[in-house]
Amino acid sequence: MMRNKKAIDVLNKDDLIVITGAGGFIAGALARYFSEQGFARIRAIDKKPLDEWYQRVEGVESVCMDLSEKDNCVKACQGATEVYNLAADMGGMGFIERFRIECLRSILINTHMIEAAYHAGAGRYFFSSSACAYNTTLQEDANVRALKESDAYPAMAERGYGWEKLMSEMFCQEYWAEREMKTFIARFHNVYGPYGTWDGGREKAPAAICRKVIEARDSGKHEIVIWGDGLQTRSFMYIDDCINGIDMIMHCEELIATPINLGSDRLVSINELVSIVEKIGGITLKCHYDPDAPTGVAGRNSDNTFIKQVLNWEPATPLEKGLEKTYRWISQQYADRKAGKRTVS
Ligand code: NAD
């Protein structure tokens, strides 16, 4: 079988790679990944002030710019060979259910970025879509059928955030159809790992649960509040697997303008997730359930048939192992914050 192509196989080391949202979790990890592979010209962009970026990678051109402004997107894309657009105003369920307007306004970022990338003559354009683009009526049971790529239509995406992703996907598809720009679209399913948001309202379930277990250990109050009834189900992908998948998708000609799932297909309930983290923390907690907290759809899983077939990609990191690394990192962040040091969230 032919090996999948990656950036290292198709780019020169001095080709310019532009990565947006790089002050955040996934794009920050992507900038580090390309830098470690020896790419010499990486332009990382985020609207956050530089001292608030989750990771700053040495040798990477790091720029603070708001990419909802057209002129900034033009500057961002100047000279780009490849553009990875991961900038979005987003967070976990607590954020995307409450701030739908902010989520929808991310359409400005993709609208201007894709046009700027096109005029700059970028060879490839990557867009980070989401499992939230899928039809929500297929996700009303915790025991869901895994979502395959065709399940986004007929459309009934998650209000706000999901519709923005679906619309931006369509931009990517039309820039290929009408203008022959090579675009690539991955639908991420819950990504977690070190250097992700772990506090402050935008964090997602794995990080929030790790933090709550760490807080319970620290305070001696062995209790945890779980959003909803804890029976809602999801699948979770470790950051390294996500980065590897992005590189493979971006360099696969068969996937031009073709949305593809990038996630784990191991379905777990939030209660199961809590049990795994309790085990890592060496503690058992009394669970309190908050029925009024935002929970999103009842269940969501990734059908990986297509990605296995095209790329032979499967997530390599078991949930227990990925959570262990995430838990250790959040513990350190928690301790650093207590000691008055700077932390990610
Ligand atoms: P993140 O919040 O850590 O990173 C996104 C970054 O985009 C932030 O640092 C933010 O400051 C930046 N940003 C927002 N608006 C901007 C603007 N106008 N100009 C410049 N920068 C701006 O989130 P993440 O988890 O790293 O997500 C990256 C991408 O992946 C997003 O598009 C997100 O929707 C998508 N995604 C993530 C997940 C997940 O589980 N983390 C799941 C599905 C999709």
Side-chain angles (χ1 to χ4, degrees), residues 14-254:
D14 59 354
D15 283 341
L16 179 64
I17 299 174
V18 170
I19 303 173
T20 76
F25 172 40
I26 303 174
L30 192 64
R32 180 171 298 284
Y33 167 83
F34 284 133
S35 170
E36 283 171 357
Q37 295 196 351
F39 289 101
R41 293 176 64 223
I42 301 166
R43 182 179 297 148
I45 302 156
D46 203 288
K47 75 171 176 189
K48 281 196 284 222
L50 293 177
D51 61 0
E52 289 176 25
W53 287 30
Y54 292 180
Q55 301 194 56
R56 282 285 300 283
V57 186
E58 226 190 291
V60 166
E61 178 192 355
S62 300
V63 186
C64 171
M65 272 197 307
D66 183 346
L67 297 171
S68 60
E69 306 274 344
K70 181 183 165 203
D71 292 349
N72 289 340
C73 293
V74 171
K75 281 185 213 149
C77 290
Q78 249 162 28
T81 303
E82 291 193 344
V83 175
Y84 294 81
N85 181 21
L86 286 92
D89 214 347
M90 63 88 67
M93 279 325 299
F95 183 85
I96 66 174
E97 283 203 356
R98 179 138 185 261
F99 298 106
R100 293 190 180 124
I101 295 175
E102 272 74 8
C103 292
L104 282 168
R105 286 180 58 81
S106 292
I107 195 84
L108 293 171
I109 304 174
N110 199 50
T111 307
H112 294 317
M113 277 300 294
I114 198 164
E115 178 77 2
Y118 172 73
H119 285 293
R124 286 166 195 269
Y125 182 90
F126 178 88
F127 175 63
S128 52
S129 187
S130 164
C132 291
Y134 281 114
N135 189 320
T136 49
T137 62
L138 299 172
Q139 305 169 62
E140 288 167 349
D141 193 305
N143 212 349
V144 281
R145 163 175 80 65
L147 294 159
K148 54 184 186 303
E149 284 75 5
S150 55
D151 288 331
Y153 292 95
M156 187 54 75
E158 184 104 30
R159 284 181 71 88
Y161 180 70
W163 278 100
E164 188 280 319
K165 292 294 188 193
L166 206 55
M167 196 59 210
S168 292
E169 285 189 3
M170 195 175 284
F171 268 104
C172 293
Q173 292 176 308
E174 299 310 331
Y175 269 77
W176 168 245
E178 284 183 20
R179 300 194 189 173
E180 293 178 9
M181 177 161 77
K182 290 185 181 176
T183 59
F184 299 84
I185 306 153
R187 292 188 183 137
F188 298 166
H189 291 248
N190 295 303
V191 190
Y192 72 97
Y195 294 96
T197 311
W198 59 276
D199 202 0
R202 286 181 189 252
E203 65 278 19
K204 298 188 146 212
I209 291 166
C210 286
R211 189 200 69 232
K212 288 179 186 184
V213 170
I214 292 161
E215 281 168 352
R217 274 178 61 106
D218 188 44
S219 66
K221 206 171 159 219
H222 289 184
E223 296 178 358
I224 184 168
V225 177
I226 296 174
W227 288 7
D229 56 13
L231 300 175
Q232 64 274 32
T233 54
R234 295 290 188 279
S235 68
F236 300 95
M237 166 172 56
Y238 189 63
I239 181 71
D240 293 1
D241 296 324
C242 176
I243 297 298
N244 196 30
I246 292 173
D247 191 355
M248 285 185 180
I249 290 169
M250 181 70 148
H251 300 101
C252 175
E253 300 300 300
E254 220 181 311

